[in-house]
């Protein structure tokens, strides 16, 4: 059906029903040829900068210079309640009630704060389940939690592996695990879209299985938020956390997010680690020694909002609200299907294979390619400097390509497929 010509890729861009928002981002130059633009397929690692970010940040800097401490109450967007402006766009993005979400901290910190409430191990039930290919920060976080509670992390942390010879998990195996061993599990904390192989797990089915077994069902959405359509409330997820600098394009170290299901929000008996932003804003400045409980996700907020790390999130979420996740996901599926087909067309199966699931329902925007002959790091270096294709390598042999639909084009996908095929076929040229 496709010809995989450059002209065809350009025509696919022209004809697509959702026009690219590329012009609203700063696209890095081709690292080897400064005047052309790079094909940026690393948005799963760090999203590009929306052009509105500088103005939004500048406005906060001006309020600070003009008002000093007065900015807490009198800035054009008062700092004391800045996080409240992120609540509704965030809730739309993850499919939550506004009171179920809060923008705060960074991802791993949020995992710890939520585990402080929702990892309540007992001698009979103290296991934490993660994927064997979990991002290392999550692995360190759950191991340290087990240890913090006095359990041996090697024994308490259960890592789910794909079947021998397979690269991804099967939903039936994960569900089967909870049916068989769920009575030992205190907490399931899986990555909704795996950072390494790009697999998008079946959140509703796995959540149901974990909860039916008596475990808490939590999700790390680092690679899912802004990538796939989420319905956390309806799916019954207990809690979730995510960062905003990958598909959400909010900048390095930008403020992260958290979701706590409504069913937990009224529970005053839950243990929490608290601070002055956990209390009722109506009485916060009465400076009392005990806090006033609030029945929303702010009960987990500890500190005052970091405005300079939060303004870019607000900027970025406006774009997601304008386009909407259904249209964005549909475009992501078109781009990813084309990228997958182009890789199939250009790559020799002896040189490389795609390890991400082929079923569009089991993946987001990312395709992970395993190189059989060329080391991934050298391959990514050459793709960057010669072809201007910015990707991300995971040692020893995987290249990750993400067709982030706000700014990646069909033409970028075509460039990436051509570049990776050339380098996969020629290990010496890469060295
Ligand atoms: C990117 C990522 C992180 C990063 O954690 P920070 O706390 O934001 O530094 C953690 N977990 C997963 C699964 C990720 O993909």
């Amino acid at each position: 059906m496709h010809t995989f010509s450059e002209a065809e890729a350009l025509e696919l861009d022209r004809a697509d029903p959702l026009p690219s928002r590329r012009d609203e981002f700063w696209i890095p130059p081709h690292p080897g040829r400064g005047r052309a633009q790079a094909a940026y397929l690393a948005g799963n690692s760090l999203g590009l900068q929306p052009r509105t970010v500088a103005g939004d940040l500048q406005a906060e800097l001006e309020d600070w210079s003009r008002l000093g401490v007065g900015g807490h109450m009198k800035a054009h967007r008062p700092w004391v309640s800045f996080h409240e402006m992120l609540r509704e766009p965030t809730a739309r993005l993850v499919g939550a009630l506004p009171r179920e979400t809060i923008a705060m901290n960074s991802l791993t910190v949020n995992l710890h704060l939520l585990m402080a409430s929702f990892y309540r191990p007992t001698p009979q039930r103290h296991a934490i389940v993660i994927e064997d290919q979990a991002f290392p920060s999550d692995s360190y976080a759950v191991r340290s939690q087990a240890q913090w509670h006095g359990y041996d992390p090697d024994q308490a942390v259960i890592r789910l592996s794909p079947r021998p010879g397979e690269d991804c998990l099967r939903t039936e195996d994960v569900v089967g695990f909870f049916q068989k061993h769920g009575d030992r599990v205190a907490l399931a904390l899986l990555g909704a879209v795996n950072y390494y192989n790009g697999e998008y797990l079946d959140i509703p089915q796995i959540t149901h299985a974990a909860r039916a077994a008596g475990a808490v069902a939590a999700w790390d959405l680092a690679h899912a938020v802004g990538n796939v359509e989420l319905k956390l409330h309806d799916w019954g997820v207990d809690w979730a956390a995510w960062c905003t600098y990958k598909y959400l394009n909010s900048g390095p170290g930008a403020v992260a997010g958290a979701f706590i299901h409504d069913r937990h929000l009224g529970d005053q008996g839950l243990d929490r680690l608290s601070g002055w932003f956990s209390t009722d804003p109506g009485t916060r400045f009465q400076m009392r020694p005990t806090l006033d409980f609030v029945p929303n996700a702010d009960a987990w907020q500890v500190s005052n909002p970091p405005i300079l790390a939060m303004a870019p999130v607000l900027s970025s979420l406006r774009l997601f609200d304008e386009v909407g996740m259904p249209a964005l996901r549909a475009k992501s599926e078109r781009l990813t299907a084309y990228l997958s087909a182009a890789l199939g067309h250009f790559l020799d199966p002896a040189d490389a294979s795609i390890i991400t699931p082929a079923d569009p329902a089991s993946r987001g925007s990312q395709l992970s390619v395993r190189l059989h002959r060329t080391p991934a790091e050298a391959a990514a270096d050459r793709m960057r400097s010669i072809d201007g294709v910015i990707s991300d390598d995971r040692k020893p042999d995987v290249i990750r390509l993400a067709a982030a639909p706000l700014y990646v084009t069909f033409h970028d996908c075509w460039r990436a497929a051509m570049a990776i095929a050339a380098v996969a076929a020629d290990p010496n040229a890469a060295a």
Side-chain angles (χ1 to χ4, degrees), residues 88-318:
E88 298 212 350
T90 299
R92 284 191 282 276
L93 206 55
V94 299
L97 305 174
R99 64 176 176 273
E100 292 173 318
T101 70
I102 176 74
M104 60 180 188
N105 310 310
S106 51
L107 167 54
T108 314
V109 171
N110 288 344
L111 295 178
H112 278 299
L113 288 176
L114 290 162
M115 283 192 278
S117 298
F118 295 106
Y119 177 51
R120 310 301 303 165
T122 63
Q124 297 74 34
R125 190 190 271 280
H126 60 261
I128 307 177
V129 173
I130 61 171
E131 359 48 305
D132 192 38
Q133 306 199 76
F135 191 78
S137 195
D138 299 45
S139 188
Y140 307 155
V142 297
R143 289 177 61 85
S144 64
Q145 282 282 336
Q147 201 157 0
W148 171 255
H149 287 278
Y151 295 95
D152 172 4
D154 288 332
Q155 188 264 326
V157 175
I158 299 174
R159 308 178 69 94
L160 299 181
S161 298
R163 294 185 186 187
E166 297 187 2
D167 291 302
C168 296
L169 292 169
R170 296 191 191 197
T171 303
E172 71 212 73
D173 291 353
V174 179
V175 167
F177 171 85
F178 286 110
Q179 285 166 349
K180 230 167 150 186
H181 307 289
D183 58 346
R184 293 170 49 203
V185 179
L187 172 69
L189 175 58
L190 297 167
V193 175
N194 184 270
Y195 88 100
Y196 181 76
N197 58 31
E199 178 179 22
Y200 177 26
L201 291 173
D202 188 325
I203 301 178
Q205 271 207 63
I206 295 172
T207 295
H208 179 79
R211 297 194 66 234
V216 170
W219 292 89
D220 183 320
L221 305 177
H223 286 264
V225 70
N227 180 15
V228 292
E229 281 183 80
L230 298 164
K231 298 192 159 52
L232 299 183
H233 177 86
D234 290 349
W235 292 340
V237 167
D238 283 302
W239 61 270
W242 56 89
C243 52
T244 58
Y245 49 80
K246 292 171 179 165
Y247 293 95
L248 293 186
N249 311 311
S250 300
V255 160
F259 161 91
I260 300 101
H261 197 280
D262 203 36
R263 75 172 79 90
H264 300 298
L265 296 179
D267 186 352
Q268 295 205 40
L270 271 178
D271 288 312
R272 289 182 189 80
L273 298 175
S274 303
W276 70 318
F277 271 67
S278 319
T279 196
D280 184 341
T283 55
R284 177 174 296 133
F285 293 102
Q286 295 179 7
M287 307 315 239
R288 298 197 202 134
T290 55
L291 64 73
D292 294 318
F293 177 76
V294 285
N296 59 42
D298 295 23
W300 280 267
Q301 187 186 29
V302 177
S303 295
N304 77 101
I307 304 306
L308 302 182
M310 215 172 238
V313 187
L314 195 59
S315 217
S316 151
L317 292 189
R318 275 199 299 265

Side-chain angles (χ1 to χ4, degrees), residues 12 40 53 66 158 215 233 266 275 324 374 404 427:
L12 287 170
Y40 192 84
V53 162
R66 199 167 50 88
I158 299 174
H233 177 86
T374 309

